[in-house]
Structures are given as C-alpha cells and as structure tokens.
Amino acid sequence: MTPAQRRSIPLRLALHALMVVLAAVFLFPFLFMLASSLKTNDAIFADLESGRALLPVGDLTGANYVGAFARGHIGHYLANSVLITVVTVALGLVVNSLAAFALARLEWRGKQAVITLLVILLVVPFEAISVPLMLLVAKLPGIAFGADGVVLTGSWLDTIYVQIIPFVANTFSIFLFYQVFRDIPKDFDEAAYVDGATPWQVYRHIIVPSSGPVFATVTILQALAMWNQYLWPLITVPGEAARPLMVGMEQFFSARKTAWGEVMAYAALITVPVLIAFVFFQRWFVRSVVGSGVKG
Amino acid sequence: MGVRRHSPIAPWLFGAPALIGLMLFLVLPFVMAVILTFTDQRLVSPRPGAFVGLRNYQRLLSVGALVQTPERSAAGAPVYARVRSITRGNRAYAGYRPLTAFRLGNRRVTVLATDPAFLQALGNTMLFAVLVVPLQCAMALGLALLVNAGLRGQTLFRAIFFSPVVMSMVIVSVVWAFLFNKDLGLFNQALGWISLGAVRPVDWLGNPATAMPAIVIMSAWQGAGFQMLILLAGLQGISQELYDAARLDGASAWQRFVHITLPGLRQTVLFVAVVTTIAALGLFTQVDVMTGGGPRGTTATVMFEAVRHGVREENIAYGATISVVYFALITLVIVVQQAIRRRRGGGVA
C-alpha cells in the first residue's frame, strides 16, 4: 500500500483542495501578466474589479507587444542577452569541465591545495566582490570595434564581453562536474592510458560521453543565472548598445510606469521563452536544483 | 597511487583557463576590496587612492548616544532641546547625525551615527533575513510535504510551485509592483472585495511599515519552490521502513512527523536555511526595481548602499568597505552553521 492509499478519502480531498488553492496562489501573477499584456490599459483597469483580471477575455490586442518592441528596444536587448547567455554557458562547459577533469582524474602536486581554495571560494557571493570587480574591469585594457576598425580602449565598461568573461570560470560548476567525474570507475582511463591515450583523449572520449546529465545540469543553472543577471550589467553597462534584457526591462518599467499593458507585454516576452524551456525540460530543471543542493 | 601516465604540466593546462579566470575575477577583486577599504580611491580619478587607515570603517560603523533630560514639561509632555542645537558646532559630535531615538524613563536617548543610512540599511537587511528565512523555509517544507503525500497530479503541482524560481527577479518585481499598487493593485482590490470595502487601500510599497513586509512576501513566493525541491529530496531520503515501524507501534501522523520526518530533515533544513540566509543578506534587485530604497530608507539594504556609494557616487573605497562588512556577515552565518553542525554531529544520534 502506498502512503496515499492509507489516508482517508476526505483527508485526500482536503489535501487536494489545498494544493489547488496553493497552485492558484503561485500562478496568478503569471496569469495577470499574460492577460494584461493582451489588453488596453482601460480594459486592464476595468477588469481589476473581478476575476477577469487573470483571464485573457474581452477586446484583446497585440498593440502592447508592438509597443514594447517599438519603444523598448526589446529586439536589440534580446539579442544581447541571448549572445551573452549562449557564449558564457558554452565556454563555461568547456573551461569548468576541463578543470574538474584535472582535479578528479589526474594526479598532481598542489591538487589538494586547489580543491581547498575552491571550497573557500564557493561561499563568496558575487555581490561581495561586484563593487571592487567593477573597478578592476573599468581599468582593464579592452578592445572596441569602431568605424575605424579595431581600437584599443582603456576599459571593459559598456561592452558585451564584460558580461561574459568574468562568469565563464565558475566554482560551483567545477564542483558539479568534479563530483560526477570522480565517481566514474578509474579502470576505463587506466586501460586507455595503457593503450597510449593522452589525458585529452581520455577527457574527450571517456569522461565527457559518460557524464551527459551533469552537462545538462550546469547548462540549466548557468543559463538561468546569466539570463537573469541584473546587478552586474546595471553597474558596468550604462549605455544602450550592450544592455541586456533585465536592465532594459527595469528601464522600460521606470520610464513607463503607467503603461501597464506594454510593461506586461515586455515582461511576458522575456518570461515566456524561459517558461517554455521549463515545461519541456522540467525533469532536468528539477534534477539541477536537487543536484545543487546535495553538496551541502 | 597508480603510475603517473601523463606529463606533470598536463593538469595545469587543463585547469589553467578556469584557475586564471577565478584568480582574476574572484580572488583578485576580493583582495582588492580589502585593500581598497584602507584608501580613499574614487572610481574615476586622476590620482591613485591614498592610505587613510581605518577611516572608512570608522565612518561606516561609528555610533554614539545623546542622553537628554527634559528642559520643561508642557501640558504633561516632556520637552527636549533639539538634537541639532546640541550637536552643531560641538566637536565631540562632528560628523554624527541622528539614527533613531527612544525614551528611557523621562530621558530621551538619541542614537547618533556617522553613517545612519548604512546602519539603517544593515538593520533593514537583518530584518528582511529574519522575516524571509523562516517564512520561506516553512512554506517550502509545507509544499514539499504536500507534493510528497502521494496525491494524484503531484508532478504538475511540483512544477507549478517551482515555476516562479525560473522567472527573473526583475520580472517578478515589476509584476508585483503592479499587484501592490495602491489604487489599482489586485491586492487592494481583493482586500476591499473580501472586506466589503471596510479595509482602506494600503499603499504597500509607499508606506514605511508595509514596504519591507511586502518585499518579504514576494521574495518568499518567488524562492520557496527552490527550497521545496531540496527538502523533497531530503524527504525521499528518509527510510520508509522507519515510518512503517512507527505505524506498527501505533504512532500518530503528528508523532511520525515530529520524531521521524523532522530529525531526518535536520541537515537538509540547516543547509536550506543557510543558503536562504546568505541570499537574503544580498537583497538588492527587488529593492532597486520596486522601491529604490524608500520610503524613508526603510527598504535600503547593505548591497543597495554598496552600489549607491561605490558606483552611483563613485566612492569605490567606501563601497568596497560595505562589501567587506557584508562578506563578514556571510562568514558569520557560515561559522554559526558549522558550529551547529558540529554540535549536532558530536551529540546523540
């Protein structure tokens, strides 16, 4: 007998009812956002009096979406955010898995010291170093692509790469890879080394193919973190050219506080792709979070 | 240890990109932060920062008190001299401004600080953590128990409860700012409707008493799903045999919860509480989007002050000092966690 079958029917109905009520509590802001994004301001305000506020009913319009694109530069910021997220995640998968491979599968002096250092670094929240890091990137020599070709500049501020390079190496990703790589039986690489394989070949043909799930986990966690970045671009990217979506959203919201429909359309446009990804890869999202908690 | 089958440089080559990245963008800024706190470095300045000793820390953390006895009583209420009339021109109080005041008998005690805005922000941040951590963890535990109860559709409900986590905090803040709106927000509409108009509309984000609680509720709503999943994994790690044995002995559902579930989750709950606390102490996005630190500074936070001084006012040395104090807070949380773990681990099973 499963635990559920032991419970009485009224209790199960009550728990079910509670779950439905809670689901409503967790869903209504999404519903409000989506419904409002399809209505004129007048319709939004009129519908606030009733449950219609959460439903796409009445005279629906796509004008808010047109407005968000026209006035919110959403296409431009979207391209920036996609570029930043994709490049950071892709580079991060390679860089962090390589480091984890060295830590988990190779023997070398200083390995324990590096692991200890990483454990300490694991607890440094990004917020604690963001202000000094900003001074650092403000003074690093950078490059810019101007009208007269590639030019050297004296700062990384206001660029796309200032939003990418500092986030490629990630202690947490290294640890996720490390835990998985460490548990792969050592016989495989021993046999490969006997046959004259190089560490690179072992990494490429044995370790990576047998640890697909952790690559998915790191991709999801890192992509979400990058997509949702706010503090860092806020302080390092004052201009519009390299601005990502979240900062664009905040600016649009501050500038057009009364245009509820357009702001909601903007929010929906940013959220819906992530929600669709979540629905399709739900199992992987769940596994990622659980994997991230196990290390405790 | 097996025979080494690769060159001694190979591991460093594999590790180099990540290690260089971490050194440059994590270790170096942290070391810089500590050094900067002893200087007067500005963000944009032709001259390098000069050594100023502990001046940044003094400005950040100095507090004093001004105790006043009433000058006279007007209609039964004691009247005190204005604080500024005492502090102005008095070298002992140079740089001090009032933070808060309270009564002690017939005396009035005014707490003075050289940076009252920071101390208020520190207090706000602690308040946020103290409110949001228990609320969010309790919500998460409730949700985890519910979706672990073996009811139909639990995978769907688990996904629904988790969905706000994948939503960006900026979006959540924007949507909830509308929900909290005084005249048109859904919350006030619902309150008015439920109370048949008896409850007056609340200016949730504009009222010093409700702004922080409003942000607490929203943050718990956004984050609870994350902790729910981790607690769920913890719940599923508790042996079913324990429950079966307890049931045979006639233990009630409540007894099973108190004596099996809670002890079994102890480590997980501790971990979840610590992670939530660290995240809570870094509160920034919600405040920046929804209130800008207001009303009257009641939602300003440590990180908000670090960004305000370090970036917006370009006083990077002072911003770094706030970052270091923030890091000290995090360290304290982790030290406490380790102490609890060790005591629990060393004690009775």
Side-chain angles (χ1 to χ4, degrees):
Chain A
M1 257 195 340
T2 68
Q5 285 160 329
R6 287 200 202 93
R7 294 181 213 282
S8 64
I9 288 174
L11 178 64
R12 270 160 62 190
L13 281 177
L15 287 175
H16 244 293
L18 178 63
M19 216 146 66
V20 171
V21 170
L22 285 171
V25 169
F26 276 80
L27 284 180
F28 84 90
F30 288 104
L31 298 176
F32 176 65
M33 174 181 79
L34 292 172
S36 303
S37 74
L38 294 166
K39 297 175 189 171
T40 62
N41 260 11
D42 290 342
I44 295 173
F45 298 147
D47 285 354
L48 281 173
E49 309 274 321
S50 67
R52 290 167 62 92
L54 304 180
L55 300 171
V57 289
D59 282 338
L60 300 182
T61 164
N64 292 326
Y65 287 87
V66 177
F69 267 98
R71 283 184 279 276
H73 310 287
I74 204 166
H76 180 66
Y77 300 154
L78 183 72
N80 285 344
S81 276
V82 168
L83 178 68
I84 291 162
T85 304
V86 169
V87 174
T88 313
V89 170
L91 290 177
L93 286 176
V94 176
V95 163
N96 296 312
S97 68
L98 281 174
F101 174 74
L103 292 170
R105 311 297 292 191
L106 303 178
E107 296 301 331
W108 42 293
R109 285 164 68 90
K111 182 164 95 166
Q112 269 316 315
V114 171
I115 292 177
T116 310
L117 176 72
L118 291 179
V119 171
I120 295 170
L121 293 182
L122 205 52
V123 303
V124 181
F126 176 72
E127 285 87 356
I129 56 141
S130 50
V131 171
L133 182 59
M134 189 231 172
L135 177 69
L136 180 75
V137 297
K139 302 215 182 279
L140 282 173
I143 49 168
F145 304 95
D148 38 338
V150 180
V151 285
L152 275 174
T153 62
S155 160
W156 283 20
L157 295 186
D158 238 352
T159 61
I160 292 283
Y161 56 83
V162 77
Q163 302 172 71
I164 295 176
I165 298 172
F167 301 98
V168 171
N170 182 298
T171 38
F172 191 48
S173 302
I174 296 176
F175 265 94
L176 290 174
F177 282 123
Y178 174 78
Q179 284 171 332
V180 172
F181 292 175
R182 197 186 43 191
D183 295 341
I184 299 172
K186 280 256 188 317
D187 319 359
F188 296 143
D189 18 347
E190 288 297 325
Y193 285 128
V194 169
D195 291 342
T198 62
W200 167 256
Q201 286 167 326
V202 170
Y203 164 82
R204 179 71 192 80
H205 298 294
I206 297 175
I207 301 299
V208 173
S210 46
S211 37
V214 70
F215 279 85
T217 297
V218 171
T219 301
I220 287 175
L221 291 176
Q222 192 65 1
L224 260 187
M226 294 308 296
W227 185 256
N228 293 339
Q229 279 261 39
Y230 176 68
L231 170 62
W232 182 247
L234 185 74
I235 63 179
T236 56
V237 185
E240 281 185 11
R243 183 176 293 165
L245 267 181
M246 294 310 156
V247 178
M249 169 86 257
E250 195 276 332
Q251 305 267 330
F252 191 68
F253 171 60
S254 319
R256 302 183 62 76
K257 278 215 158 91
T258 52
W260 288 38
E262 280 187 15
V263 172
M264 289 302 180
Y266 205 123
L269 276 168
I270 307 180
T271 310
V272 167
V274 183
L275 281 182
I276 291 174
F278 173 58
V279 169
F280 275 102
F281 301 109
Q282 205 230 110
R283 194 181 296 269
W284 290 101
F285 274 80
V286 169
R287 197 186 284 205
S288 303
V289 170
V290 172
S292 75
V294 170
K295 78 188 169 73
Chain B
M1 203 170 78
V3 185
R4 187 178 290 151
R5 301 181 197 281
H6 52 79
S7 108
I9 318 165
W12 292 102
L13 291 179
F14 279 88
L19 289 180
I20 293 172
L22 292 175
M23 284 297 158
L24 193 54
F25 300 113
L26 195 55
V27 177
L28 182 59
F30 185 71
V31 174
M32 274 173 64
V34 175
I35 295 172
L36 283 170
T37 62
F38 302 108
T39 71
D40 61 357
Q41 178 74 47
R42 312 262 327 158
L43 186 60
V44 186
S45 168
R47 65 175 183 85
F51 180 76
V52 297
L54 291 172
R55 210 168 69 193
N56 286 318
Y57 290 97
Q58 278 167 354
R59 177 181 157 200
L60 197 63
L61 301 170
S62 290
V63 284
L66 178 69
V67 182
Q68 291 171 281
T69 45
E71 294 188 323
R72 62 191 162 83
S73 292
V79 174
Y80 302 92
R82 287 182 57 202
V83 171
R84 276 185 57 194
S85 68
I86 300 170
T87 56
R88 189 188 299 152
N90 185 336
R91 296 195 56 174
Y93 294 112
Y96 281 88
R97 279 171 297 141
L99 170 66
T100 176
F102 57 90
R103 287 278 184 76
L104 201 68
N106 73 337
R107 294 192 176 124
R108 184 171 73 171
V109 181
T110 305
V111 180
L112 301 162
T114 44
D115 189 348
F118 172 73
L119 292 181
Q120 188 189 10
L122 184 64
N124 294 339
T125 309
M126 303 271 204
L127 174 70
F128 176 74
V130 165
L131 293 176
V132 85
V133 172
L135 177 66
Q136 195 171 330
C137 289
M139 270 171 69
L141 183 59
L143 293 174
L145 290 170
L146 205 51
V147 297
N148 197 41
L151 298 166
R152 202 181 304 165
Q154 59 185 9
T155 317
L156 173 68
F157 285 104
R158 188 184 65 185
I160 290 173
F161 300 150
F162 182 74
S163 57
V165 179
V166 304
M167 210 168 164
S168 122
M169 194 48 106
V170 176
I171 306 294
V172 171
S173 302
V174 167
V175 173
W176 281 63
F178 286 122
L179 298 177
F180 280 132
N181 187 288
K182 181 169 179 252
D183 302 313
L184 298 161
L186 221 46
F187 288 134
N188 280 340
Q189 299 281 347
L191 273 181
W193 185 71
I194 292 168
S195 69
L196 302 171
V199 177
R200 309 273 309 151
V202 181
D203 189 4
W204 295 100
L205 298 174
N207 182 334
T210 54
M212 190 55 101
I215 292 178
V216 166
I217 290 168
M218 181 194 81
S219 305
W221 172 87
Q222 194 268 349
F226 185 86
Q227 280 84 350
M228 171 194 75
L229 284 187
I230 294 174
L231 289 169
L232 197 54
L235 277 178
Q236 286 158 356
I238 301 174
S239 161
Q240 196 57 43
E241 289 167 23
L242 286 176
Y243 289 106
D244 294 337
R247 213 174 268 113
L248 280 179
D249 291 343
S252 68
W254 175 251
Q255 286 171 322
R256 293 196 299 271
F257 176 71
V258 172
H259 296 292
I260 301 175
T261 310
L262 283 185
L265 280 181
R266 190 183 281 158
Q267 287 301 335
T268 318
V269 168
L270 182 63
F271 170 75
V272 163
V274 167
V275 171
T276 316
T277 307
I278 292 177
L281 293 175
L283 175 65
F284 176 81
T285 303
Q286 299 93 306
V287 167
D288 194 60
V289 176
M290 297 174 87
T291 62
R296 280 191 259 140
T298 48
T299 59
T301 63
V302 172
M303 268 320 292
F304 191 78
E305 287 294 291
V307 170
R308 185 166 74 85
H309 286 288
V311 182
R312 289 172 186 156
E313 293 173 8
E314 306 197 337
N315 187 346
I316 215 99
Y318 200 62
T321 311
I322 298 176
S323 304
V324 168
V325 169
Y326 164 68
F327 185 71
L329 269 181
I330 305 288
T331 312
L332 189 69
V333 171
I334 291 165
V335 166
V336 170
Q337 178 208 21
Q338 294 298 330
I340 294 175
R341 245 173 104 153
R342 216 162 289 140
R343 217 184 57 200
R344 289 276 160 76
V348 238

